[in-house]
Amino acid sequence: MKKYILTITIIAILLSCDITENRFIYIENHSNQNIISFISKKDMNKMSAITESDSGADVKTNNFGTINPVRIRWEQYFKSCEDGKIRIYIIKEDSIIKYGMANILKKNIYNKKYLYSIEDLEKINWKIKYK
């Protein structure tokens, strides 16, 4: 009986543990300008602001950054995206300074947009190379 209770207790503890997601989106900036990158579940022209689920990274010239939203489950995130695909936007830092984020979203201004399924990101090892 003690073995049975111990086994049930261990299973309950393991099932209650939060599984940490270990996948990140790596943005490699090979351009000569600083960039801001962020992910979104929908197209920019349908956004009025960047929300908690639209996590991003500030990436300096010839450097890399990671996009890792807190407590995300990528499979669930992709299921909630339009067409099951994530949007990754790259915007030059100078543009944000010049126009402001509200105008950038309103006018759909960006330097590069990537559209990926989770399978697409797996194929490229979760690394985006911006030039």
Side-chain angles (χ1 to χ4, degrees):
M1 182 70 172
K2 286 183 181 181
K3 240 182 177 180
Y4 179 71
I5 292 173
L6 180 62
T7 303
I8 297 292
T9 304
I10 290 172
I11 290 172
I13 290 170
L14 291 175
L15 290 176
S16 68
C17 291
D18 189 25
I19 300 169
T20 304
E21 178 68 71
N22 63 356
R23 294 175 290 183
F24 306 91
I25 298 175
Y26 293 90
I27 307 290
E28 295 180 8
N29 182 7
H30 297 281
S31 74
N32 61 357
Q33 294 188 353
N34 296 338
I35 60 170
I36 304 295
S37 60
F38 68 94
I39 61 172
S40 180
K41 295 178 180 182
K42 56 188 174 184
D43 287 329
M44 186 185 285
N45 61 352
K46 298 175 185 172
M47 300 170 65
S48 58
I50 295 178
T51 65
E52 280 184 25
S53 64
D54 304 321
S55 186
D58 181 3
V59 187
K60 302 298 180 196
T61 303
N62 294 317
N63 207 338
F64 72 94
T66 58
I67 298 177
N68 180 31
V70 177
R71 302 179 59 81
I72 194 168
R73 300 289 182 268
W74 285 114
E75 283 76 11
Q76 291 172 347
Y77 187 90
F78 276 87
K79 285 178 185 176
S80 65
C81 291
E82 287 182 3
D83 303 326
K85 295 188 177 186
I86 194 172
R87 282 93 173 127
I88 303 170
Y89 290 98
I90 306 288
I91 305 167
K92 292 179 184 172
E93 187 178 63
D94 292 348
S95 297
I96 294 174
I97 293 167
K98 183 176 180 180
Y99 301 111
M101 201 61 193
N103 278 329
I104 284 174
L105 294 174
K106 182 179 177 182
K107 296 179 181 180
N108 207 24
I109 300 169
Y110 56 87
N111 298 95
K112 185 75 175 176
K113 174 185 171 184
Y114 300 93
L115 188 64
Y116 288 115
S117 68
I118 196 164
E119 293 82 15
D120 295 333
L121 282 173
E122 291 287 345
K123 287 178 188 173
I124 60 170
N125 205 24
W126 295 76
K127 292 182 181 174
I128 312 292
K129 295 179 181 178
Y130 175 72
K131 296 180 181 183

